[in-house]
Amino acid sequence: MALFTRRTLMTGAAALSLAGPALAQSRADRRKVAPILTTADAVDSRSYARPRDARVTHVDLDLEADFARKVIGGKATLDILARDGVDEVVLDALDLKIASVTDARGRPLQWILGEKDGDKGSPLKIRLGGAKRLVITYEASPGATALQWLAPELTAGKVKPFLYSQGQAILNRSWFPTQDSPGVRQTWSARLVVPADLVAVMSAERLTPKGEPAGPGKRAWRFRMPHPVPTYLVALGVGDLAFQPLGARTGVYTEPAMMAKAAYELADTEKMVEAAERLYGPYRWGRYDVLVLPPAFPYGGMENATLTFLTPTFITGDRANVSLVAHELAHSWSGNLVTNATWPDVWLNEGFTSYVENRIMEAIYGRERAVMEADLAWDGLQSDIRELGGPADPRTRLYGEPGGQIDYFKGETFLRTLETLLGRDCWDGYLRGYFDRHAFQPQTTAGFLADLRREVVKGDAALEAKLKLDEWAYGPGLPANAVHNASARLAEVDRSVKAFTEGRPAASLPAKGWTTQEWQRFLNNLPRQLQAAQLADLDRTFQLNASANGYVRSAWLELAIANRWEPALPSLRAFLTSVGRGLFVNPLYTGLTRQGDWGKALARQYFAEAKGGYHPSLSDGIARRLASAG
Ligand code: BES
Ligand code: ZN
């Protein structure tokens, strides 16, 4: 019954999308409401949902996390809005064990779980019989692909276990049943029961700062998200968590052993929120907190609403990698407010966000820092295009299935080009308006281009020709108008690359005060083939094998692998078995598989040892690639 009192918390946009026969309105009204209901014309091939027939508007979860069995389960109560005459709703489910489906009064409803199709999972089809609310009693599988259950050894404190989820892109269907499609926004609420000595957080307003009793040895934590969000932004974290405020509406959750370092690194977080607001309008999500996870977290960061998840590897003691925080914060506008309608539109999230991230960095740390970081992104773009087989390859397109980090690097270069060609005043005004006009709605690539044409181009044929919008969005390679600003500080580093390549000793390089970014440029731009003596000189002079900076360590290990330089192997093994951030470890496994039998054998050996500590989404990917490497 507690379920139903919690439901009264639902307000605002949720109420709007539940109100009246929304699907049978006049054209004009429909145009106003439909985008909140669901994507108008984009079809998401990665979801079974048919949201234009029947869609989920609110999810309420009442779950318990069982650490002994590594299973999460309980009840999901879904509010459904169905078109007249439609009596079936289709949900997404991946390896869920469904016990029962009833209406709000407990009357059983007919349901069928279709055949499983890989990561997409199974359609869960439910006959509504007029019901507007469904109660699904279920359990996730111990192998749920969104979840990682960490043994105490893999945490900072080493005493208590840890659990967290990673939903993007289509993993959340492995721990709760709903329409798991970014174009189907849903409000949600949750009650999560966990062992009494652990703290639970979720990506929503935290209603129980201290938890509440929930039976012997257990505590319950409650949450609510009043804004309709795409389901990939629903996330949980459970562990020995402390909290420290950073500013009026910002703070950090992490294990006590990590807190001092994390809070130091994150000191500018509140300033970042203020800088973003000055650029793009109010932060609409209430609090902005971050959760610093154990090193197994597979990403640098994940923009879960109100609660960004971060890898601890961004902490290098010098705040050099806080662009990661700027990035995840930027998603509060590009991604969380205006969301890719389907996954082929993901550059609308990541490309826009990489651009906004850089603007936040410029606002706080100045132009040179921003130009330096944009210059590294340009390097990344060039190397991605090369790795993908050159500028004609379809994987270099923004819309579709971009390879490497094309959606990030080419996307931000596109927006930087628009900024330069339109002028900052015009462009900034447009972008601020764009976030406002499409707030809490899905967006397609075509929708963005149409909006820009309507607001800015306004039929000006010369401007249209100058911008090359369609070539940027749909064409491969890099359009001729691409803007690139080179960094003077990195040009300085290039001189060191040259000097060292020509035989100067490592000790003669001006590397003393180099930041992470300068080290990345240096290590990534060295020739892939070096003498063993040169590698030994670099390691002796800069202790690269022992570097605690994950960015430096991984770039160095890539170079060592390319040279089959065996003195790096203990460092490589230690790194691969202690860090699960894909951006660092994926290139190392790939590098090894390119080094014949020598490298493939090592890759298999290290992976066998490390995989138990990786998030399922990372270990599944590496396993696949190792298998196909032969
Ligand atoms: N949303 C992404 C993480 C993500 C992308 C998860 C695709 C699942 C599928 C996040 O905002 C991100 O881009 N993280 C980057 C940060 C970096 C570009 C600053 C990362 O993890 O490295
Ligand atoms: Zn991102």
Side-chain angles (χ1 to χ4, degrees):
M1 273 300 123
L3 270 180
F4 298 99
T5 44
R6 277 204 309 285
R7 189 153 303 282
T8 59
L9 298 168
M10 188 178 56
T11 54
L16 167 69
S17 53
L18 282 170
L23 295 169
Q25 284 167 335
S26 73
R27 262 193 93 125
D29 282 355
R30 204 164 60 224
R31 204 171 298 134
K32 233 173 18 205
V33 179
I36 289 194
L37 290 174
T38 184
T39 305
D41 19 58
V43 174
D44 178 3
S45 66
R46 300 181 77 183
S47 166
Y48 291 102
R50 294 196 308 269
R52 273 170 287 171
D53 291 337
R55 54 154 296 172
V56 178
T57 57
H58 181 85
V59 178
D60 180 82
L61 301 174
D62 193 354
L63 303 179
E64 178 165 347
D66 180 341
F67 279 76
R69 290 172 58 229
K70 299 194 172 158
V71 161
I72 195 164
K75 279 188 170 60
T77 302
L78 310 183
D79 290 340
I80 309 294
L81 184 63
R83 194 181 9 194
D84 280 349
V86 170
D87 198 41
E88 181 184 80
V89 65
V90 186
L91 311 178
D92 296 299
L94 176 57
D95 296 333
L96 298 181
K97 221 158 69 189
I98 311 289
S100 67
V101 182
T102 71
D103 70 6
R105 290 203 187 77
R107 188 169 55 99
L109 298 177
Q110 278 181 34
W111 58 274
I112 179 166
L113 197 57
E115 212 174 298
K116 177 177 167 184
D117 176 8
D119 299 344
K120 191 174 172 185
S122 312
L124 172 56
K125 299 182 179 176
I126 298 166
R127 179 103 15 249
L128 291 168
K132 293 189 161 41
R133 180 169 294 169
L134 310 174
V135 182
I136 303 172
T137 305
Y138 73 99
E139 221 175 61
S141 114
T145 51
L147 303 180
Q148 188 175 14
W149 301 82
L150 292 167
E153 307 83 77
L154 295 173
T155 67
K158 314 238 179 278
V159 175
K160 295 179 184 177
F162 203 105
L163 165 67
Y164 73 91
S165 69
Q166 162 60 40
Q168 196 182 358
I170 58 168
L171 302 177
N172 269 347
R173 62 192 67 176
S174 73
W175 68 280
F176 63 96
T178 193
Q179 294 180 320
D180 188 15
S181 173
V184 186
R185 304 182 79 94
Q186 298 153 43
T187 54
W188 63 276
S189 46
R191 175 174 177 269
L192 190 55
V193 175
V194 305
D197 61 340
L198 301 180
V199 170
V201 291
M202 290 187 85
S203 54
E205 190 185 338
R206 288 163 283 283
L207 301 173
T208 45
K210 305 225 159 337
E212 44 195 35
K218 294 175 187 176
R219 285 187 90 66
W221 303 76
R222 288 184 294 111
F223 310 89
R224 71 161 200 156
M225 171 48 71
H227 302 293
V229 291
T231 50
Y232 71 85
L233 292 177
V234 178
L236 61 80
V238 182
D240 181 16
L241 294 174
F243 175 77
Q244 186 172 310
L246 296 164
R249 57 187 155 161
T250 52
V252 51
Y253 291 91
T254 194
E255 291 184 67
M258 294 294 297
M259 184 55 86
K261 282 184 180 172
Y264 176 85
E265 214 78 7
L266 291 162
D268 288 337
T269 305
E270 185 86 23
K271 264 199 245 168
M272 287 186 175
V273 180
E274 289 162 3
E277 286 186 311
R278 275 195 296 275
L279 285 163
Y280 304 114
Y283 177 78
R284 306 196 198 206
W285 302 91
R287 293 195 56 84
Y288 181 74
D289 293 317
V290 307
L291 169 64
V292 178
L293 290 139
F297 186 61
Y299 293 102
M302 178 64 213
E303 66 272 24
N304 299 311
T306 76
L307 184 64
T308 280
F309 284 22
L310 293 178
T311 174
T313 64
F314 90 101
I315 301 173
T316 48
D318 56 1
R319 300 178 181 158
N321 310 300
V322 294
S323 63
L324 172 66
V325 184
H327 179 98
E328 304 313 335
L329 168 66
H331 274 303
S332 305
W333 286 262
S334 42
N336 299 4
L337 206 53
V338 184
T339 307
N340 51 210
T342 69
W343 293 112
D345 298 301
V346 70
W347 76 274
L348 294 177
N349 281 17
E350 299 302 344
F352 273 58
T353 292
S354 300
Y355 171 81
V356 169
E357 161 202 332
N358 200 249
R359 293 298 303 274
I360 296 171
M361 292 302 289
E362 179 182 325
I364 299 182
Y365 305 102
R367 179 93 183 140
E368 175 53 31
R369 169 81 175 263
V371 168
M372 181 170 69
E373 293 186 352
D375 199 3
L376 287 173
W378 176 266
D379 284 353
L381 177 56
Q382 301 304 326
S383 98
D384 270 356
I385 293 176
R386 220 178 310 118
E387 291 265 313
L388 291 168
D393 193 284
R395 291 166 301 172
T396 62
R397 295 171 197 260
L398 276 181
Y399 176 78
E401 283 187 57
Q405 294 184 83
I406 288 287
D407 43 350
Y408 292 72
F409 299 145
K410 186 175 172 182
E412 67 176 293
T413 305
F414 179 19
L415 298 203
R416 211 163 277 132
T417 300
L418 291 175
E419 178 201 314
T420 307
L421 296 181
L422 296 171
R424 210 172 237 201
D425 281 354
C426 166
W427 170 248
D428 284 2
Y430 167 74
L431 198 51
R432 188 184 175 112
Y434 169 83
F435 291 133
D436 196 47
R437 277 190 297 284
H438 305 285
F440 300 111
Q441 295 176 40
Q443 180 62 286
T444 60
T445 299
F448 160 61
L449 295 182
D451 187 80
L452 182 64
R453 288 190 165 110
R454 203 161 42 235
E455 299 289 325
V456 177
V457 183
K458 295 181 175 147
D460 178 339
L463 184 56
E464 180 72 46
K466 191 161 110 181
L467 298 181
K468 303 185 192 292
L469 299 177
D470 292 317
E471 191 185 339
W472 272 104
Y474 301 112
L478 204 52
N481 63 357
V483 164
H484 171 226
N485 302 312
S487 151
R489 248 172 85 185
L490 292 181
E492 204 56 56
V493 174
D494 293 343
R495 279 188 272 286
S496 289
V497 171
K498 186 158 180 286
F500 184 75
T501 309
E502 289 170 358
R504 300 279 300 278
S508 72
L509 304 176
K512 259 228 148 39
W514 276 357
T515 61
T516 300
Q517 288 77 15
E518 288 160 307
W519 273 109
Q520 280 176 304
R521 176 76 155 226
F522 179 71
L523 292 169
N524 290 337
N525 281 13
L526 283 174
R528 291 299 88 182
Q529 296 308 311
L530 291 173
Q531 311 283 337
Q534 286 178 299
L535 291 163
D537 181 24
L538 284 175
D539 184 38
R540 210 179 321 106
T541 310
F542 302 119
Q543 276 82 54
L544 295 170
N545 271 331
S547 176
N549 181 319
Y551 302 81
V552 173
R553 176 88 160 258
S554 60
W556 159 250
L557 291 171
E558 261 189 77
L559 185 63
I561 290 168
N563 288 278
R564 301 194 189 185
W565 193 64
E566 298 203 346
L569 295 183
S571 168
L572 176 61
R573 174 168 173 253
F575 189 68
L576 290 176
T577 52
S578 60
V579 174
R581 180 176 179 185
L583 189 72
F584 291 163
V585 309
N586 279 323
L588 298 176
Y589 284 108
T590 303
L592 285 171
T593 58
R594 286 181 184 158
Q595 296 302 319
D597 292 340
W598 175 86
K600 285 180 204 166
L602 287 171
R604 291 215 176 78
Q605 180 198 322
Y606 295 147
F607 181 59
E609 209 179 321
K611 69 177 174 201
Y614 293 160
H615 185 274
S617 63
L618 179 69
S619 52
D620 290 354
I622 297 172
R624 259 197 305 274
R625 277 180 288 121
L626 289 185
S628 73

